[in-house]
């Protein structure tokens, strides 16, 4: 199958899983509309098993999409401080040992079709296997994932080897001391787990900013301080990449990391 045929096959298969829910749904004729529909269907799909032929087609489709977007090797990113890098781009195209996902407490990914959060993007381009892997963790755990912890899963169709899932604090009326400690705990927990697993490179997203309303500059300062003070980073066991998507976040992190280097 070519990419268009894979996309059509995957859409038909997902619609057929829930005929009552999707009865009468029209499939767009254009490529952009089909891509959006496929992503939305994957986003709302519960963590169910899938036949091997579906997974084979999905994996081939996602690998082709990744090749189209291009892969960035984390080893080639310039360090702003020893062992610490800054990179602006799509974290789902970053090749490193682990990328960090800003998850919610259910740990099953974002179920909002085509939502712009990083949780949605990571689950979309990893494939449906990621949601199933997360469900296995949650079934064993028996309760929601607490704020400030970390869980690890394979990355499946992403270029990274693993995904580290952490739940950041949700800021209510204003940032509290507990919010700041919880955010720092996210970074420590991810690095602690990565170090135990022998991982050598970890890419952090901007945890708790955006939907969780942690102010960008405060979050960046906590992130940089916590990471740079961590034993695994100071002893050069783990190389850290701060991944940002917005130009304003890149400017904030660059200013903080450059100021720390020149201090």
């Amino acid at each position: 199958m070519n990419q268009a045929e894979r996309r059509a096959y995957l859409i038909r298969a997902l619609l057929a899983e829930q005929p009552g829910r999707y009865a009468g749904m029209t499939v767009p004729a254009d490529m952009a509309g089909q891509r959006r529909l496929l992503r939305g269907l994957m986003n709302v799909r519960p963590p169910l098993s899938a036949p091997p032929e579906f997974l084979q087609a999905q994996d081939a489709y996602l690998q082709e999409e990744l090749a189209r977007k291009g892969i960035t090797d984390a080893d080639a990113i310039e360090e702003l401080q020893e062992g610490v890098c800054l990179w602006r781009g799509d974290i789902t195209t970053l090749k490193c040992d682990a990328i960090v996902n800003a998850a919610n407490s259910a740990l099953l990914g974002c179920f909002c079709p085509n939502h712009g959060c990083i949780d949605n993007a990571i689950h979309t381009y990893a494939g449906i296997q990621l949601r199933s892997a997360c469900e296995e963790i949650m079934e064993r755990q028996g309760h929601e994932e607490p704020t400030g912890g970390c869980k690890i899963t394979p990355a499946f169709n992403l270029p990274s080897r693993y995904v580290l899932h952490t739940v950041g604090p949700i800021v209510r009326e204003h940032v509290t001391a507990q919010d700041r400690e919880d955010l720092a705990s996210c970074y420590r927990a991810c690095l602690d787990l990565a170090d135990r697993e022998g991982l050598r490179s970890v890419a952090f997203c901007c945890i708790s900013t955006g939907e969780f309303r942690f102010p960008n500059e405060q979050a960046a300062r906590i992130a940089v301080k916590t990471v740079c003070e961590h034993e695994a980073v100071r002893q050069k066991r783990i190389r850290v990449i701060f991944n940002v998507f917005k130009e304003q976040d890149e400017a904030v992190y660059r200013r903080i990391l450059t100021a720390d280097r020149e201090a």
Side-chain angles (χ1 to χ4, degrees):
M1 287 191 286
N2 61 30
Q3 197 70 338
E5 290 168 338
R6 293 187 192 106
R7 186 168 53 248
Y9 165 80
L10 293 170
I11 289 173
R12 289 196 302 270
L14 290 170
L15 292 176
E17 281 187 333
Q18 301 184 64
R21 180 177 185 181
Y22 298 130
M25 179 173 288
T26 302
V27 177
D30 62 295
M31 181 176 64
Q34 289 176 6
R35 280 180 172 162
R36 184 173 177 82
L37 175 59
L38 176 56
R39 178 171 179 168
L41 291 170
M42 291 173 69
N43 294 159
V44 300
R45 184 183 188 272
L48 304 170
S49 61
E53 56 269 23
F54 179 93
L55 295 178
Q56 183 178 6
Q58 177 215 239
D59 293 352
Y61 178 83
L62 292 175
Q63 289 301 308
E64 179 106 355
E65 288 294 290
L66 177 62
R68 179 180 61 83
K69 292 189 293 184
I71 296 173
T72 297
D73 192 330
D75 289 341
I77 300 173
E78 180 184 4
E79 294 182 354
L80 288 184
Q81 292 189 24
E82 190 170 11
V84 179
C85 310
L86 174 63
W87 180 70
R88 180 160 68 98
D90 180 353
I91 201 169
T92 67
T93 66
L94 191 58
K95 181 182 178 183
C96 57
D97 279 351
I99 61 172
V100 174
N101 178 30
N104 57 50
S105 60
L107 215 71
L108 296 181
C110 171
F111 280 82
C112 182
N114 295 283
H115 193 253
C117 69
I118 195 166
D119 196 15
N120 187 294
I122 287 173
H123 274 266
T124 295
Y125 294 106
I128 63 170
Q129 299 97 317
L130 183 56
R131 180 164 284 165
S132 294
C134 289
E135 185 194 37
E136 290 178 10
I137 291 172
M138 296 306 284
E139 284 187 344
R140 290 195 302 269
Q141 181 165 283
H143 57 80
E144 289 193 336
E145 179 68 6
T147 301
C150 181
K151 295 292 188 294
I152 187 170
T153 64
F156 298 102
N157 286 288
L158 300 173
S160 59
R161 293 171 57 204
Y162 298 100
V163 178
L164 299 173
H165 306 262
T166 189
V167 180
I170 300 174
V171 174
R172 306 298 179 183
E173 295 181 1
H174 60 274
V175 178
T176 66
Q178 187 63 57
D179 291 333
R180 291 189 287 270
E181 173 52 36
D182 285 344
L183 183 59
S185 179
C186 289
Y187 288 91
R188 284 195 298 267
C190 288
L191 290 172
D192 288 346
L193 182 52
D195 197 26
R196 291 197 299 272
E197 294 289 334
L199 308 187
R200 300 300 302 276
S201 57
V202 175
F204 282 100
C205 62
C206 300
I207 301 167
S208 275
T209 59
E211 294 288 324
F212 283 14
R213 298 185 296 277
F214 211 110
N216 295 52
E217 175 117 11
Q218 285 190 55
R221 291 191 178 280
I222 291 168
V224 170
K225 182 176 187 296
T226 307
V227 164
C228 291
E229 289 178 351
H230 197 279
E231 180 183 9
V233 177
R234 291 169 53 222
Q235 296 187 2
K236 304 178 185 178
R237 292 196 300 273
I238 296 179
R239 188 169 185 259
V240 168
I241 303 95
F242 286 114
N243 165 249
V244 298
F245 195 70
K246 297 178 181 178
E247 189 174 343
Q248 68 185 62
D249 287 321
E250 181 182 27
V252 167
Y253 271 92
R254 188 173 298 279
R255 184 174 70 251
I256 294 170
L257 287 166
T258 302
D260 285 352
R261 182 179 60 191
E262 295 173 350

PDB file of all heavy atoms in Angstrom, residues 35-57:
ATOM      1  N   ARG A  35      -6.214  13.308   6.800  1.00  0.00           N
ATOM      2  CA  ARG A  35      -5.218  13.281   7.876  1.00  0.00           C
ATOM      3  C   ARG A  35      -5.839  13.729   9.197  1.00  0.00           C
ATOM      4  O   ARG A  35      -5.596  13.136  10.247  1.00  0.00           O
ATOM      5  CB  ARG A  35      -4.037  14.195   7.530  1.00  0.00           C
ATOM      6  CG  ARG A  35      -3.026  13.596   6.582  1.00  0.00           C
ATOM      7  CD  ARG A  35      -1.922  14.591   6.312  1.00  0.00           C
ATOM      8  NE  ARG A  35      -0.835  14.011   5.549  1.00  0.00           N
ATOM      9  CZ  ARG A  35       0.071  14.717   4.896  1.00  0.00           C
ATOM     10  NH1 ARG A  35       0.009  16.043   4.910  1.00  0.00           N
ATOM     11  NH2 ARG A  35       1.041  14.121   4.227  1.00  0.00           N
ATOM     12  N   ARG A  36      -6.617  14.780   9.127  1.00  0.00           N
ATOM     13  CA  ARG A  36      -7.253  15.300  10.341  1.00  0.00           C
ATOM     14  C   ARG A  36      -8.254  14.295  10.909  1.00  0.00           C
ATOM     15  O   ARG A  36      -8.303  14.071  12.127  1.00  0.00           O
ATOM     16  CB  ARG A  36      -7.936  16.635  10.040  1.00  0.00           C
ATOM     17  CG  ARG A  36      -8.556  17.304  11.257  1.00  0.00           C
ATOM     18  CD  ARG A  36      -9.057  18.709  10.920  1.00  0.00           C
ATOM     19  NE  ARG A  36      -9.707  19.297  12.074  1.00  0.00           N
ATOM     20  CZ  ARG A  36      -9.067  19.898  13.077  1.00  0.00           C
ATOM     21  NH1 ARG A  36      -7.763  19.965  13.058  1.00  0.00           N
ATOM     22  NH2 ARG A  36      -9.746  20.413  14.102  1.00  0.00           N
ATOM     23  N   LEU A  37      -9.023  13.669  10.041  1.00  0.00           N
ATOM     24  CA  LEU A  37      -9.994  12.676  10.496  1.00  0.00           C
ATOM     25  C   LEU A  37      -9.282  11.487  11.125  1.00  0.00           C
ATOM     26  O   LEU A  37      -9.684  11.013  12.204  1.00  0.00           O
ATOM     27  CB  LEU A  37     -10.861  12.207   9.333  1.00  0.00           C
ATOM     28  CG  LEU A  37     -11.841  11.069   9.653  1.00  0.00           C
ATOM     29  CD1 LEU A  37     -12.800  11.460  10.768  1.00  0.00           C
ATOM     30  CD2 LEU A  37     -12.616  10.661   8.396  1.00  0.00           C
ATOM     31  N   LEU A  38      -8.224  11.000  10.489  1.00  0.00           N
ATOM     32  CA  LEU A  38      -7.501   9.851  11.031  1.00  0.00           C
ATOM     33  C   LEU A  38      -6.931  10.173  12.399  1.00  0.00           C
ATOM     34  O   LEU A  38      -7.052   9.374  13.334  1.00  0.00           O
ATOM     35  CB  LEU A  38      -6.383   9.435  10.074  1.00  0.00           C
ATOM     36  CG  LEU A  38      -5.482   8.292  10.562  1.00  0.00           C
ATOM     37  CD1 LEU A  38      -6.298   7.052  10.898  1.00  0.00           C
ATOM     38  CD2 LEU A  38      -4.416   7.985   9.524  1.00  0.00           C
ATOM     39  N   ARG A  39      -6.321  11.337  12.529  1.00  0.00           N
ATOM     40  CA  ARG A  39      -5.770  11.712  13.834  1.00  0.00           C
ATOM     41  C   ARG A  39      -6.872  11.791  14.885  1.00  0.00           C
ATOM     42  O   ARG A  39      -6.718  11.295  16.011  1.00  0.00           O
ATOM     43  CB  ARG A  39      -5.028  13.044  13.741  1.00  0.00           C
ATOM     44  CG  ARG A  39      -4.484  13.509  15.084  1.00  0.00           C
ATOM     45  CD  ARG A  39      -3.571  14.697  14.946  1.00  0.00           C
ATOM     46  NE  ARG A  39      -3.082  15.148  16.269  1.00  0.00           N
ATOM     47  CZ  ARG A  39      -2.096  16.009  16.449  1.00  0.00           C
ATOM     48  NH1 ARG A  39      -1.476  16.528  15.403  1.00  0.00           N
ATOM     49  NH2 ARG A  39      -1.735  16.350  17.669  1.00  0.00           N
ATOM     50  N   GLY A  40      -7.995  12.402  14.531  1.00  0.00           N
ATOM     51  CA  GLY A  40      -9.097  12.515  15.479  1.00  0.00           C
ATOM     52  C   GLY A  40      -9.629  11.163  15.911  1.00  0.00           C
ATOM     53  O   GLY A  40      -9.922  10.943  17.093  1.00  0.00           O
ATOM     54  N   LEU A  41      -9.749  10.241  14.964  1.00  0.00           N
ATOM     55  CA  LEU A  41     -10.228   8.899  15.298  1.00  0.00           C
ATOM     56  C   LEU A  41      -9.258   8.175  16.218  1.00  0.00           C
ATOM     57  O   LEU A  41      -9.668   7.471  17.149  1.00  0.00           O
ATOM     58  CB  LEU A  41     -10.445   8.087  14.016  1.00  0.00           C
ATOM     59  CG  LEU A  41     -11.607   8.527  13.123  1.00  0.00           C
ATOM     60  CD1 LEU A  41     -11.565   7.797  11.783  1.00  0.00           C
ATOM     61  CD2 LEU A  41     -12.946   8.294  13.813  1.00  0.00           C
ATOM     62  N   MET A  42      -7.963   8.348  15.971  1.00  0.00           N
ATOM     63  CA  MET A  42      -6.959   7.731  16.837  1.00  0.00           C
ATOM     64  C   MET A  42      -6.994   8.354  18.228  1.00  0.00           C
ATOM     65  O   MET A  42      -6.826   7.667  19.238  1.00  0.00           O
ATOM     66  CB  MET A  42      -5.568   7.881  16.219  1.00  0.00           C
ATOM     67  CG  MET A  42      -5.366   7.056  14.952  1.00  0.00           C
ATOM     68  SD  MET A  42      -3.797   7.412  14.120  1.00  0.00           S
ATOM     69  CE  MET A  42      -2.636   6.732  15.306  1.00  0.00           C
ATOM     70  N   ASN A  43      -7.220   9.665  18.293  1.00  0.00           N
ATOM     71  CA  ASN A  43      -7.243  10.370  19.576  1.00  0.00           C
ATOM     72  C   ASN A  43      -8.358   9.884  20.490  1.00  0.00           C
ATOM     73  O   ASN A  43      -8.172   9.815  21.708  1.00  0.00           O
ATOM     74  CB  ASN A  43      -7.406  11.877  19.364  1.00  0.00           C
ATOM     75  CG  ASN A  43      -6.232  12.555  18.678  1.00  0.00           C
ATOM     76  OD1 ASN A  43      -6.385  13.628  18.120  1.00  0.00           O
ATOM     77  ND2 ASN A  43      -5.057  11.937  18.702  1.00  0.00           N
ATOM     78  N   VAL A  44      -9.516   9.575  19.929  1.00  0.00           N
ATOM     79  CA  VAL A  44     -10.671   9.209  20.766  1.00  0.00           C
ATOM     80  C   VAL A  44     -10.793   7.696  20.951  1.00  0.00           C
ATOM     81  O   VAL A  44     -11.653   7.237  21.716  1.00  0.00           O
ATOM     82  CB  VAL A  44     -11.987   9.761  20.181  1.00  0.00           C
ATOM     83  CG1 VAL A  44     -11.943  11.278  20.080  1.00  0.00           C
ATOM     84  CG2 VAL A  44     -12.307   9.142  18.823  1.00  0.00           C
ATOM     85  N   ARG A  45      -9.944   6.920  20.290  1.00  0.00           N
ATOM     86  CA  ARG A  45     -10.040   5.463  20.380  1.00  0.00           C
ATOM     87  C   ARG A  45      -9.629   4.988  21.769  1.00  0.00           C
ATOM     88  O   ARG A  45      -8.549   5.309  22.260  1.00  0.00           O
ATOM     89  CB  ARG A  45      -9.141   4.813  19.322  1.00  0.00           C
ATOM     90  CG  ARG A  45      -9.249   3.295  19.273  1.00  0.00           C
ATOM     91  CD  ARG A  45      -8.274   2.723  18.241  1.00  0.00           C
ATOM     92  NE  ARG A  45      -8.493   1.290  18.035  1.00  0.00           N
ATOM     93  CZ  ARG A  45      -7.928   0.342  18.754  1.00  0.00           C
ATOM     94  NH1 ARG A  45      -7.102   0.660  19.744  1.00  0.00           N
ATOM     95  NH2 ARG A  45      -8.169  -0.937  18.492  1.00  0.00           N
ATOM     96  N   PRO A  46     -10.449   4.193  22.420  1.00  0.00           N
ATOM     97  CA  PRO A  46     -10.069   3.646  23.726  1.00  0.00           C
ATOM     98  C   PRO A  46      -8.925   2.652  23.578  1.00  0.00           C
ATOM     99  O   PRO A  46      -8.638   2.177  22.469  1.00  0.00           O
ATOM    100  CB  PRO A  46     -11.355   2.967  24.214  1.00  0.00           C
ATOM    101  CG  PRO A  46     -12.130   2.676  22.975  1.00  0.00           C
ATOM    102  CD  PRO A  46     -11.804   3.763  22.006  1.00  0.00           C
ATOM    103  N   PRO A  47      -8.248   2.315  24.668  1.00  0.00           N
ATOM    104  CA  PRO A  47      -7.108   1.386  24.592  1.00  0.00           C
ATOM    105  C   PRO A  47      -7.544  -0.060  24.385  1.00  0.00           C
ATOM    106  O   PRO A  47      -7.568  -0.865  25.311  1.00  0.00           O
ATOM    107  CB  PRO A  47      -6.407   1.585  25.941  1.00  0.00           C
ATOM    108  CG  PRO A  47      -7.476   2.063  26.863  1.00  0.00           C
ATOM    109  CD  PRO A  47      -8.413   2.880  26.025  1.00  0.00           C
ATOM    110  N   LEU A  48      -7.868  -0.369  23.144  1.00  0.00           N
ATOM    111  CA  LEU A  48      -8.302  -1.710  22.773  1.00  0.00           C
ATOM    112  C   LEU A  48      -7.194  -2.406  21.985  1.00  0.00           C
ATOM    113  O   LEU A  48      -6.333  -1.751  21.399  1.00  0.00           O
ATOM    114  CB  LEU A  48      -9.562  -1.638  21.900  1.00  0.00           C
ATOM    115  CG  LEU A  48     -10.763  -0.883  22.474  1.00  0.00           C
ATOM    116  CD1 LEU A  48     -11.817  -0.698  21.391  1.00  0.00           C
ATOM    117  CD2 LEU A  48     -11.330  -1.630  23.669  1.00  0.00           C
ATOM    118  N   SER A  49      -7.251  -3.726  21.944  1.00  0.00           N
ATOM    119  CA  SER A  49      -6.322  -4.459  21.095  1.00  0.00           C
ATOM    120  C   SER A  49      -6.687  -4.221  19.635  1.00  0.00           C
ATOM    121  O   SER A  49      -7.820  -3.834  19.313  1.00  0.00           O
ATOM    122  CB  SER A  49      -6.355  -5.950  21.418  1.00  0.00           C
ATOM    123  OG  SER A  49      -7.661  -6.465  21.189  1.00  0.00           O
ATOM    124  N   ALA A  50      -5.729  -4.448  18.748  1.00  0.00           N
ATOM    125  CA  ALA A  50      -5.970  -4.267  17.317  1.00  0.00           C
ATOM    126  C   ALA A  50      -5.329  -5.422  16.564  1.00  0.00           C
ATOM    127  O   ALA A  50      -4.309  -5.963  16.990  1.00  0.00           O
ATOM    128  CB  ALA A  50      -5.387  -2.942  16.838  1.00  0.00           C
ATOM    129  N   PRO A  51      -5.905  -5.817  15.438  1.00  0.00           N
ATOM    130  CA  PRO A  51      -5.342  -6.935  14.672  1.00  0.00           C
ATOM    131  C   PRO A  51      -3.965  -6.579  14.106  1.00  0.00           C
ATOM    132  O   PRO A  51      -3.676  -5.400  13.871  1.00  0.00           O
ATOM    133  CB  PRO A  51      -6.363  -7.161  13.562  1.00  0.00           C
ATOM    134  CG  PRO A  51      -7.141  -5.895  13.463  1.00  0.00           C
ATOM    135  CD  PRO A  51      -7.154  -5.296  14.825  1.00  0.00           C
ATOM    136  N   PRO A  52      -3.130  -7.582  13.883  1.00  0.00           N
ATOM    137  CA  PRO A  52      -1.772  -7.324  13.382  1.00  0.00           C
ATOM    138  C   PRO A  52      -1.733  -6.524  12.088  1.00  0.00           C
ATOM    139  O   PRO A  52      -0.846  -5.682  11.899  1.00  0.00           O
ATOM    140  CB  PRO A  52      -1.203  -8.741  13.178  1.00  0.00           C
ATOM    141  CG  PRO A  52      -2.002  -9.621  14.074  1.00  0.00           C
ATOM    142  CD  PRO A  52      -3.362  -9.018  14.129  1.00  0.00           C
ATOM    143  N   GLU A  53      -2.693  -6.777  11.188  1.00  0.00           N
ATOM    144  CA  GLU A  53      -2.677  -6.053   9.915  1.00  0.00           C
ATOM    145  C   GLU A  53      -2.935  -4.562  10.107  1.00  0.00           C
ATOM    146  O   GLU A  53      -2.401  -3.731   9.363  1.00  0.00           O
ATOM    147  CB  GLU A  53      -3.682  -6.655   8.926  1.00  0.00           C
ATOM    148  CG  GLU A  53      -5.121  -6.736   9.421  1.00  0.00           C
ATOM    149  CD  GLU A  53      -5.438  -8.058  10.126  1.00  0.00           C
ATOM    150  OE1 GLU A  53      -4.512  -8.728  10.619  1.00  0.00           O
ATOM    151  OE2 GLU A  53      -6.639  -8.403  10.184  1.00  0.00           O
ATOM    152  N   PHE A  54      -3.753  -4.210  11.115  1.00  0.00           N
ATOM    153  CA  PHE A  54      -3.976  -2.792  11.415  1.00  0.00           C
ATOM    154  C   PHE A  54      -2.693  -2.157  11.924  1.00  0.00           C
ATOM    155  O   PHE A  54      -2.295  -1.075  11.476  1.00  0.00           O
ATOM    156  CB  PHE A  54      -5.098  -2.623  12.438  1.00  0.00           C
ATOM    157  CG  PHE A  54      -5.358  -1.175  12.812  1.00  0.00           C
ATOM    158  CD1 PHE A  54      -6.317  -0.440  12.142  1.00  0.00           C
ATOM    159  CD2 PHE A  54      -4.627  -0.552  13.819  1.00  0.00           C
ATOM    160  CE1 PHE A  54      -6.541   0.904  12.463  1.00  0.00           C
ATOM    161  CE2 PHE A  54      -4.841   0.784  14.145  1.00  0.00           C
ATOM    162  CZ  PHE A  54      -5.801   1.513  13.468  1.00  0.00           C
ATOM    163  N   LEU A  55      -2.053  -2.821  12.878  1.00  0.00           N
ATOM    164  CA  LEU A  55      -0.822  -2.268  13.444  1.00  0.00           C
ATOM    165  C   LEU A  55       0.270  -2.146  12.389  1.00  0.00           C
ATOM    166  O   LEU A  55       1.033  -1.174  12.382  1.00  0.00           O
ATOM    167  CB  LEU A  55      -0.344  -3.138  14.603  1.00  0.00           C
ATOM    168  CG  LEU A  55      -1.265  -3.185  15.820  1.00  0.00           C
ATOM    169  CD1 LEU A  55      -0.701  -4.130  16.878  1.00  0.00           C
ATOM    170  CD2 LEU A  55      -1.470  -1.789  16.411  1.00  0.00           C
ATOM    171  N   GLN A  56       0.338  -3.115  11.500  1.00  0.00           N
ATOM    172  CA  GLN A  56       1.337  -3.053  10.436  1.00  0.00           C
ATOM    173  C   GLN A  56       1.098  -1.843   9.540  1.00  0.00           C
ATOM    174  O   GLN A  56       2.040  -1.116   9.198  1.00  0.00           O
ATOM    175  CB  GLN A  56       1.304  -4.341   9.609  1.00  0.00           C
ATOM    176  CG  GLN A  56       2.356  -4.408   8.522  1.00  0.00           C
ATOM    177  CD  GLN A  56       2.324  -5.718   7.751  1.00  0.00           C
ATOM    178  OE1 GLN A  56       1.442  -6.557   7.951  1.00  0.00           O
ATOM    179  NE2 GLN A  56       3.280  -5.910   6.863  1.00  0.00           N
ATOM    180  N   ALA A  57      -0.151  -1.628   9.163  1.00  0.00           N
ATOM    181  CA  ALA A  57      -0.476  -0.478   8.311  1.00  0.00           C
ATOM    182  C   ALA A  57      -0.258   0.830   9.061  1.00  0.00           C
ATOM    183  O   ALA A  57       0.277   1.796   8.500  1.00  0.00           O
ATOM    184  CB  ALA A  57      -1.921  -0.580   7.829  1.00  0.00           C
TER     185      ALA A  57
END
